[in-house]
Amino acid sequence: NWQIPDAVSAYPQSFDFENTGEITIPEFSLSSEFSIGVWLNSDNFAAANALILGYNSSNGYKIEFNGSTGVLIKNPTTNLTYSGTSWNLNKWQHLVITRDSSNDLKIYRNGEYWGGGTHSGTFIFDRISGFNSSSRHFSGNLSNFQRWNTTLSDLQVETLYNNGVPLT
């Protein structure tokens, strides 16, 4: 289901979440400039089924979909939902979130600017699709997680999207 059918041969594996489970990763902290990228193919964009990164708790850090038109980005001091055009169900799409040193946060979908605003604070993540012993995990497939301690330019985001073919 990649935009370009031959892409499956370039990267044939992904993490398949059925609204259960999580992947514990070494904790990392993002402050000042950062960027995060992931390929996703979601079965459900409801807030209860779309936690991409982080741990959901009253003072947790997380990135999740909040419906098909909202991306929620939360740390203990700032909880903001950014809105844009609808994301597609059951179709591979590329998500990039990047923030510069002025706290200007941009969200890209398939290499194009999708939405954003100002978002300050530090983010600490230690799991993919994690939730506080509940069922709020991502439902669908995730692949090619990447993170950078710098802001990505529009051209770099477009290069990562690679016309719908994940880079190996």
Side-chain angles (χ1 to χ4, degrees):
N1 293 335
W2 296 107
Q3 181 174 337
I4 298 172
D6 292 340
V8 73
S9 62
Y11 201 87
Q13 298 177 349
S14 63
F15 295 113
D16 186 5
F17 294 92
E18 296 295 331
N19 197 29
T20 60
E22 64 189 42
I23 298 172
T24 302
I25 57 177
E27 182 178 284
F28 65 93
S29 176
L30 301 172
S31 58
S32 189
E33 297 181 34
F34 70 83
S35 299
I36 296 172
V38 63
W39 283 90
L40 60 95
N41 185 341
S42 182
D43 301 335
N44 190 335
F45 286 116
N49 299 63
L51 183 61
I52 297 172
L53 193 63
Y55 183 69
N56 192 54
S57 64
S58 59
N59 61 352
Y61 303 87
K62 66 180 176 177
I63 297 173
E64 76 176 2
F65 282 96
N66 192 354
S68 65
T69 61
V71 175
L72 171 68
I73 302 175
K74 180 184 186 300
N75 61 22
T77 59
T78 311
N79 184 2
L80 296 171
T81 298
Y82 301 95
S83 297
T85 57
S86 290
W87 290 72
N88 300 315
L89 287 175
N90 303 307
K91 181 177 181 178
W92 282 104
Q93 297 161 97
H94 190 233
L95 166 69
V96 172
I97 299 169
T98 187
R99 184 177 75 179
D100 66 20
S101 59
S102 300
N103 294 321
D104 183 27
L105 186 134
K106 294 180 179 178
I107 301 169
Y108 295 84
R109 181 177 96 186
N110 297 336
E112 296 181 5
Y113 178 76
W114 179 83
T118 301
H119 203 108
S120 61
T122 297
F123 297 88
I124 301 170
F125 297 114
D126 66 353
R127 62 195 81 197
I128 297 170
S129 185
F131 188 74
N132 186 2
S133 300
S134 184
S135 61
R136 198 170 181 146
H137 304 278
F138 187 81
S139 183
N141 293 71
L142 298 171
S143 183
N144 293 42
F145 259 100
Q146 297 171 299
R147 71 174 171 97
W148 300 265
N149 291 325
T150 187
T151 305
L152 296 179
S153 69
D154 292 345
L155 181 57
Q156 289 170 315
V157 171
E158 185 179 332
T159 300
L160 282 173
Y161 175 60
N162 194 31
N163 293 311
V165 180
L167 299 172
T168 56

